[in-house]
Amino acid sequence: MSALPRGAPAHEVPLRVEEHPFFERLDPLLTREAARLAWERQFDTGAMIVRDGDPAEWFYLIFQGKVALEIASAEKPHLTIQTVGPGEVLGWSWLVAPHFWRFDARALKPTRVLAIEGAKFRAVLAAHPEKGYQFLMRLLPIIAQRLENTQIQLLDIHGL
Amino acid sequence: MASNALPPQPIPSSHPLAPAPFVVRSQTAETPDTHTLVLSPSDGHAVPPALPGQFNMLYVFGVGEAAISLSGDPSDATAVVHTVRNAGPITAAIAQSPPGQTVGIRGPYGRGWPIDQAKGRDVVLVAGGLGLPPLRPVLYGLLAHRERYGRIEVIYGARTPKDLVYYGQIQQWRLRPDIRFQVTVDAADRSWYGDVGLVTARIPDTRFEPGNSVAFLCGPEIMMKYAARDLEARGIPQSSIWLSMERNMKCAVAVCGHCQFGPAFVCRDGPVFRYDVVRDWLATREL
Ligand SMILES: Cc1cc2nc3c(=O)[nH]c(=O)nc-3n(C[C@H](O)[C@H](O)[C@H](O)COP(=O)(O)OP(=O)(O)OC[C@H]3O[C@@H](n4cnc5c(N)ncnc54)[C@H](O)[C@@H]3O)c2cc1C
């Protein structure tokens, strides 16, 4: 992994992977490995966390703040389609080839995260298939939920 | 519908189909297509008492009649408040009625929200779009006797920030320490710093004691279907979840069958129903 994650390094009480709800009751090896690959970052309001089209080298555990996921079109250059906050995880593009971000993510408030190195963590999952499966089963409901939300949003339910 | 827990509301017996004249006292634009009207009886009488969740039939001379929920403070006997979205010819005529104009009103009709069941319990209100107006009287009622209830959690979702109704009042409610009022929109531009996502995305973050809570839901049926499912998954029994089913209606006195909903008539048996009673009919096409 060549570049460091965006954002400023943090100087406060360190964040800990095992205290993030996403890792709750996951196998300790996964937590340990994620902690080894974690970089703590903080973002001021308005700062970009990820950019559409950039290589997806990280995924993010959000501990504080709020993050807007934005997509762009010619008519709407910055359309926020979702916000995520403390306790949530940002990004799965690091898991799915060709590993590019498909949206922008921007801090809506001062935000603190742990950025986990995706490629190395993929290697951990591949080396421990049973634990890797456990990890994917933790992520899959989140992806399924977001898909369902998108489907409901497509219905434009408030349009009457 | 026998299994619905509330007794039916008596349908007003004297001249049930004759509207009484009301005068528009004020008209406020909530959004480009939605207006709030404050109306009072032209003859100066008190307005008929109504329960939160009930609706009136509003009649515009020469145009027609539409069901519109009561959205004001139920303790105010001097005026009725209606928030109306311009969805077609009748609602356009109502929403655009200027101060001084006379509008015919008959009602109130229907069964309201079972606020009694909320006593001593946590209350979760989930509103989508124009689902907030029929729930606002509940909130007025809860806040008037705040000590009677546990936590009050409100989740309100709209399509975009421009579609939020009662914006100024929501800011006030959000400042209150004794309720939690979450607002979310389906999509937003960069001027919005609030939450974006469906109301269901806020449910995991909502605090209530599952075995001692009631939930009142109002909004698009598909939203209520998913929100009810998620509240049930968080432990609120189906029998403590209530929904307002605002299916299209004509007569409002259970004669014409226009608003039939499964075996029930929305105008007589609803619009508020218990989730277990209507679950199978939710988000099915109108008959
Ligand atoms: C119990 C109840 C309470 C209601 N409360 C309110 C309220 O507080 N504010 C408000 O603005 N409207 C409310 N409505 C909806 C309102 O009655 C309808 O929008 C109105 O009758 C439409 O008449 P129209 O001539 O303006 O439009 P139409 O030309 O008759 O209809 C315009 C469009 O709206 C659709 N539509 C009509 N009625 C409904 C309905 N009930 N639900 C969903 N879509 C509908 C039609 O299918 C059509 O696509 C309520 C309806 C019910 C049954």
Side-chain angles (χ1 to χ4, degrees):
Chain A
M1 193 116 325
S2 47
L4 290 175
R6 286 171 188 270
H11 303 289
E12 301 169 46
V13 183
L15 302 176
R16 295 157 64 88
V17 170
E18 62 269 30
E19 284 169 9
H20 194 276
F22 183 80
F23 275 86
E24 212 174 283
R25 291 192 306 276
L26 276 186
D27 191 280
L29 174 128
L30 294 172
T31 311
R32 235 180 8 253
E33 290 296 311
R36 194 172 60 79
L37 301 171
W39 299 74
E40 187 169 335
R41 285 292 182 268
Q42 54 191 21
F43 298 88
D44 291 335
T45 301
M48 295 301 287
I49 301 172
V50 306
R51 221 177 254 288
D52 188 6
D54 279 359
E57 297 178 322
W58 312 91
F59 70 98
Y60 299 86
L61 305 176
I62 302 172
F63 284 80
Q64 269 174 26
K66 189 183 321 194
V67 179
L69 310 192
E70 298 177 343
I71 53 171
S73 66
E75 305 80 48
K76 293 183 177 149
H78 307 290
L79 185 71
T80 303
I81 46 158
Q82 194 187 0
T83 47
V84 287
E88 295 187 273
V89 64
L90 169 63
W92 53 80
S93 304
W94 61 281
L95 257 180
V96 186
H99 310 302
F100 288 105
W101 290 109
R102 296 288 179 225
F103 51 77
D104 290 338
R106 204 169 52 89
L108 287 178
K109 304 179 178 178
T111 295
R112 292 179 76 198
V113 303
L114 282 176
I116 318 275
E117 291 187 50
K120 290 186 186 158
F121 198 68
R122 270 199 321 267
V124 172
L125 301 180
H128 305 277
E130 220 169 284
K131 298 179 172 79
Y133 176 79
Q134 193 190 51
F135 181 88
L136 291 181
M137 288 312 283
R138 178 63 58 92
L139 194 59
L140 196 58
I142 298 173
I143 299 176
Q145 183 66 56
R146 292 201 189 150
L147 179 64
E148 182 182 292
N149 288 353
T150 309
Q151 285 166 338
I152 302 173
Q153 268 164 316
L154 272 178
L155 290 173
D156 194 12
I157 54 171
H158 298 303
L160 268 188
Chain B
M1 179 153 292
S3 49
N4 205 340
L6 291 182
Q9 292 298 318
I11 286 168
S13 57
S14 58
H15 311 298
L17 297 177
F22 276 62
V23 177
V24 177
R25 300 290 172 205
S26 72
Q27 184 225 51
T28 313
E30 301 287 349
T31 74
D33 68 357
T34 303
H35 289 76
T36 294
L37 303 180
V38 178
L39 306 109
S40 56
S42 327
D43 59 10
H45 285 143
V47 301
L51 300 169
Q54 287 193 297
F55 64 93
N56 281 328
M57 296 299 287
L58 268 64
Y59 175 71
V60 178
F61 299 99
V63 185
E65 198 178 41
I68 305 291
S69 302
L70 287 140
S71 61
D73 184 343
S75 68
D76 180 358
T78 63
V80 293
V81 179
H82 288 293
T83 298
V84 187
R85 176 195 277 159
N86 175 349
I90 303 170
T91 42
I94 299 170
Q96 285 153 19
S97 301
Q101 180 157 321
T102 300
V103 173
I105 294 186
R106 60 190 175 96
Y109 295 115
R111 292 189 219 220
W113 303 100
I115 294 188
D116 272 1
Q117 301 208 5
K119 278 196 193 129
R121 299 164 85 182
D122 293 342
V123 186
V124 183
L125 307 181
V126 183
L130 220 55
L132 188 59
L135 279 170
R136 188 167 69 160
V138 176
L139 198 50
Y140 283 126
L142 298 175
L143 294 176
H145 303 283
R146 182 65 191 87
E147 69 292 349
R148 291 187 191 159
Y149 309 97
R151 284 179 189 280
I152 298 176
E153 289 267 0
V154 186
I155 311 175
Y156 171 39
R159 190 203 240 165
T160 72
K162 292 192 188 77
D163 298 306
L164 295 165
V165 297
Y166 311 144
Y167 195 83
Q169 195 173 28
I170 289 172
Q171 302 305 326
Q172 301 297 317
W173 284 326
R174 282 171 63 85
L175 291 174
R176 288 183 68 128
D178 56 350
I179 63 172
R180 182 141 161 272
F181 199 114
Q182 303 188 70
V183 178
T184 184
V185 296
D186 288 356
D189 65 20
R190 282 194 170 175
S191 60
W192 173 251
Y193 282 77
D195 287 325
V196 177
L198 299 175
V199 288
T200 45
R202 310 305 330 145
I203 289 176
D205 191 33
T206 303
R207 285 168 240 144
F208 52 83
E209 201 185 311
N212 193 34
S213 298
V214 290
F216 298 158
L217 281 47
C218 189
E221 277 184 37
I222 191 99
M223 175 289 264
M224 293 195 286
K225 176 175 164 164
Y226 286 106
R229 177 198 68 182
D230 291 359
L231 289 167
E232 189 187 358
R234 284 215 40 205
I236 304 188
Q238 288 188 5
S239 55
S240 296
I241 300 174
W242 299 78
L243 306 84
S244 182
M245 307 293 310
E246 304 200 336
R247 291 273 173 120
N248 213 347
M249 66 173 62
K250 281 262 183 293
C251 76
V253 291
V255 174
C256 75
H258 209 82
C259 66
Q260 206 166 348
F261 181 65
F265 284 77
V266 171
C267 65
R268 180 195 60 198
D269 306 314
V272 175
F273 290 93
R274 220 172 63 191
Y275 179 43
D276 51 352
V277 174
V278 292
R279 209 178 82 111
D280 295 342
W281 302 97
L282 262 183
T284 53
R285 279 181 215 155
E286 285 195 36
L287 300 173

